[in-house]
Amino acid sequence: MTHDHDLVLRPSAAQTEAALNPPPGRNGGDLVVETLSGLGATTVFGLPGQHALGMFDALRRSSLQYVGLRVENNAGFAADAYGRITGEAAPLLLSTGPGALTSLAALQEAAAASAPVLAISSQIPTAGLGGGRHGYLHELPDQQASFRGVVKSVHTVRTQSQIPSALAAAWESALTAPHGPVWVEIPQDVLLAETSLPMVTPMDATPEDVVPRPELTALAAHLLSSAARPAIIAGGGVVRADASGKLRRLAERLNAPVVTTFGGKGAFPWNHPLSLQSWLEDRHTTDLLEDADVLLVVGSGLGELSSNYHTFKPRGRVIQIEADVGKLESNHPALGIHADARLALSALLETVDERPDPTAPERVRTLLARVGERIAAQELTLEQDVLASVRRALPDGSPSFWDMTILAYWAWSAFDPRRPNTMHSAQGAGGLGYGFPAALGAAAADPTRPVLAVSGDGGALYSIAELATAKQYGLDVTWLIVDDGGYGILREYMTDAFGQATATELARPDYVALAESFGVPGIRTSPGTLEADLSKALATPGPTVVLLPAVLRMFAPTHLDG
């Protein structure tokens, strides 16, 4: 009897000949790039270092496109954005010790945002592994320990024959829902040694789907069908699973209002009659969600920002669909369904009943009107006008990447992304410096459309070196820098808390002149000319810096009320 697991594919005569006579002059680095190509990678990001030179030497013998950034953390942000835009694992090539450690903040953001990044680092020579103090350059007693609490999985290679399998396992881990960053480290001598192993052929590392349990989706469908006041919170898992169409059909069948989290921007049409948009930092929205007798949460862990700073206290039954099993019921008791959002929504659509409710659109209109009145009472016309100018200037379908800056905080709640998977920010981990290098990664992923980056002057100084990268590769990124002379949001926080701000004011350069020194056009704009200047920059191929000197204010929070 022949069993399926006994079957093996017999190599062709050509494959046998290639295996017996591999090309000369290859090293362990070639096994790395051949494996990446075999897994389907086309673009890699990174920064060379002494221990990693074997990988970088091999790049010139491969068809992989290399985008080299100036700081490892920025290279990580670029890989993060590439993974978000394409849904593919983005290879990130790094060196040992300081080079590797500098990427940690970017990998934390990728983990928080579920961006698939395949970080591949060199290591000190094999003889130095094991925690001894040998005095090698960049030596750490346990390099992988620094990453174990950040990434999804850690893989250490000790011989050349382990390289293809380790990279395939890491690739599969990065793309298993929930997506995320993974870490592979390979010793310097393994990368540099000549290899006689055959060239790596294409391989399949497709992860298995996270399928919902049918008894759970059956119960969820029953609860939603019989609900009096259902509502839906749509998170980033909906966008990553490409499930926005299924979410819309489910919401329309149930007549359930939908609010999107900041990470789930674009998961539901902004101007749909059932759209509560993204006003999660508003007590009116929190009240409506608390009043739902059945609340469906799809692709969100209901963390700090998604729960209006944990002031949200649901009174009805919660159904939570989440691919990250660790997030199920981590903040609220729920009917937890461990599943990919697309598959779970498909299952619900098969069994949920039509639920007429002519009052739902009116409840949505009433809530949005109350939000509008609250904002209007705070005299924030400048901020709303600036955000509206950005929206009008940005072509539909063009992605935007927002740093941690006041205009981005406005955008989380008030910006219409118009399409799924086009608006991204660093709100997962909240680190500075994300916007511009991430936009570079998106431009490398899709050079057919312009990309917008938005930073404050504080965040801009984290990534100013990447103007050289943008110029070198001709990446079509327009960088809007809002210059308020400091860390604007921290200035507000400290003033509110202590009556005055400390350590928030910054001496800064002339950003227009600085951009021009890199060979990048610079434009100084104003709120009145922003739309025209930004439109022109976005329509001009290649990188451009648009500088807006302006002090913006945040709308008042509601989570502190009482």
Side-chain angles (χ1 to χ4, degrees), residues 322-360:
E322 176 57 56
D324 186 343
V325 69
K327 292 182 179 179
L328 282 179
E329 298 190 76
S330 61
N331 286 307
H332 298 282
L335 172 63
I337 302 176
H338 180 219
D340 175 85
R342 185 179 181 85
L343 298 178
L345 290 172
S346 295
L348 291 177
L349 282 168
E350 290 176 1
T351 53
V352 77
D353 296 332
E354 189 88 25
R355 186 191 158 277
D357 185 355
T359 68

Side-chain angles (χ1 to χ4, degrees), residues 232-236 239 247 258-270 275-280 306 412-413 415 417:
I232 299 173
I233 298 177
V239 175
L247 174 69
V258 179
V259 65
T260 62
T261 70
F262 304 149
K265 298 283 286 188
F268 196 73
W270 188 257
S275 175
L276 300 170
Q277 302 179 357
S278 298
W279 290 99
L280 284 167
S306 302
W412 292 351
S413 294
F415 190 80

Side-chain angles (χ1 to χ4, degrees), residues 117-123 129 142-145 147-148 151-159 162-176 180-187 205:
V117 175
L118 174 56
I120 307 171
S121 164
S122 58
Q123 246 292 19
L129 299 181
D142 186 0
Q143 179 174 274
Q144 64 176 261
F147 296 85
R148 201 174 286 118
V151 300
K152 286 185 67 178
S153 59
V154 172
H155 311 257
T156 297
V157 169
R158 291 179 180 269
T159 66
Q162 295 174 2
I163 289 174
S165 295
L167 291 179
W171 181 277
E172 181 176 346
S173 175
L175 291 175
T176 298
V182 295
W183 182 260
V184 181
E185 55 182 26
I186 309 173

Side-chain angles (χ1 to χ4, degrees), residues 17 106 125 134 142 188 256 417 427 435 448 450 462 464 480 497 524:
E17 175 63 24
H134 304 281
D142 186 0
Q188 177 190 30
Q427 58 90 21
T448 66
Y462 274 67
I464 203 76
L480 172 61
R524 188 180 304 274

Side-chain angles (χ1 to χ4, degrees), residues 69 86 109-110 119 185 223 266 346 348 391 528:
L69 287 94
T86 65
E109 175 58 40
E185 55 182 26
L223 292 171
S346 295
L348 291 177
R391 178 59 277 176

Side-chain angles (χ1 to χ4, degrees), residues 5 23 41 86-87 146 151 168 203 207 250 259 271-272 341 369 371 380 437 472 488 501:
H5 60 263
T86 65
S146 298
V151 300
M203 59 182 70
L250 181 66
V259 65
N271 291 316
H272 191 282
V371 172
L380 296 165
Q472 179 174 346

Side-chain angles (χ1 to χ4, degrees), residues 266 270 391-392 394-397 416-420 422:
W270 188 257
R391 178 59 277 176
R392 289 192 297 267
L394 183 65
D396 285 0
D416 174 7
R418 295 190 181 166
R419 296 183 186 178
T422 55

